[in-house]
Amino acid sequence: MRRAGETGAHSIFLGNLFAEVKHLSPAERKEAVRQFVAAMFAHPDEPESWEAAAPRLRPVLRTSSYAQAGQVGGITVASRPALRHLVEMIVIDHEHRMSLVNSDSLEEWGVTFDEAYQRGAQNLMVEGTHLARLDNGVFAVASEDTYESSRLVVPVGWPDSVRKWAFSQSPWCRHAT
């Protein structure tokens, strides 16, 4: 894919889009694909200051290879190890997409990764976590947004028994205090 005015091409993984639209009606599928394409070709509306960025930040948990794929053209995606083969990253939340925060942006904003990540976690906590207990006793995130995996590293809103277990067993909860 190439956007007007940009050099170089970008690859887009369509597996997630397919998973999201395969069960929709033809009209709903068409609208979802239209929104996806519009978001991919829209010129980024990236905040230039910390004040503008801070309320839009969210934490995300991704594979290490995802972070490595983002290291292109001399731009370093801001990330840190979370668990084996997983990294914590920060994104800017947009209406129909998210964009990764890079190290240059953190420097321009005058904040550290930890400060930006903590603000993103706070933003997610304010939105809340909606858990559904399935018949087999498993908890499922029922927030219906794109930050389900982020709630693994920001376990606010979980039942006390689940939160206590997560904090005692899981090093990825170390940042959500």
Side-chain angles (χ1 to χ4, degrees), residues 93-146:
D93 188 50
H94 300 273
E95 184 179 0
H96 295 293
R97 65 182 180 85
M98 62 180 74
S99 58
L100 295 170
V101 171
N102 62 56
S103 298
D104 291 343
S105 292
L106 293 176
E107 189 173 319
E108 288 171 18
W109 298 337
V111 298
T112 65
F113 181 93
D114 287 338
E115 291 168 321
Y117 188 90
Q118 191 66 4
R119 179 57 193 264
Q122 290 169 355
N123 293 339
L124 193 62
M125 286 186 256
V126 168
E127 293 173 8
T129 297
H130 309 285
L131 294 179
R133 188 177 191 125
L134 305 179
D135 292 338
N136 62 4
V138 172
F139 285 97
V141 175
S143 298
E144 297 185 15
D145 61 20
T146 57

Side-chain angles (χ1 to χ4, degrees), residues 15-132:
N16 291 340
L17 176 63
F18 177 74
E20 291 175 13
V21 303
K22 68 182 179 182
H23 300 295
L24 298 178
S25 71
E28 291 170 321
R29 188 178 309 126
K30 182 178 181 179
E31 178 58 20
V33 171
R34 188 197 65 72
Q35 284 182 359
F36 177 84
V37 171
M40 290 298 105
F41 285 95
H43 286 283
D45 172 27
E46 302 300 337
E48 295 184 17
S49 69
W50 171 245
E51 292 73 23
R56 295 172 56 188
L57 299 178
R58 303 292 183 277
V60 293
L61 190 63
R62 298 290 186 259
T63 63
S64 300
S65 60
Y66 187 94
Q68 291 167 353
Q71 317 293 334
V72 294
I75 297 172
T76 303
V77 174
S79 66
R80 68 177 169 206
L83 290 170
R84 186 175 180 175
H85 306 298
L86 293 175
V87 295
E88 294 171 326
M89 303 172 87
I90 309 163
V91 297
I92 299 168
D93 188 50
H94 300 273
E95 184 179 0
H96 295 293
R97 65 182 180 85
M98 62 180 74
S99 58
L100 295 170
V101 171
N102 62 56
S103 298
D104 291 343
S105 292
L106 293 176
E107 189 173 319
E108 288 171 18
W109 298 337
V111 298
T112 65
F113 181 93
D114 287 338
E115 291 168 321
Y117 188 90
Q118 191 66 4
R119 179 57 193 264
Q122 290 169 355
N123 293 339
L124 193 62
M125 286 186 256
V126 168
E127 293 173 8
T129 297
H130 309 285
L131 294 179

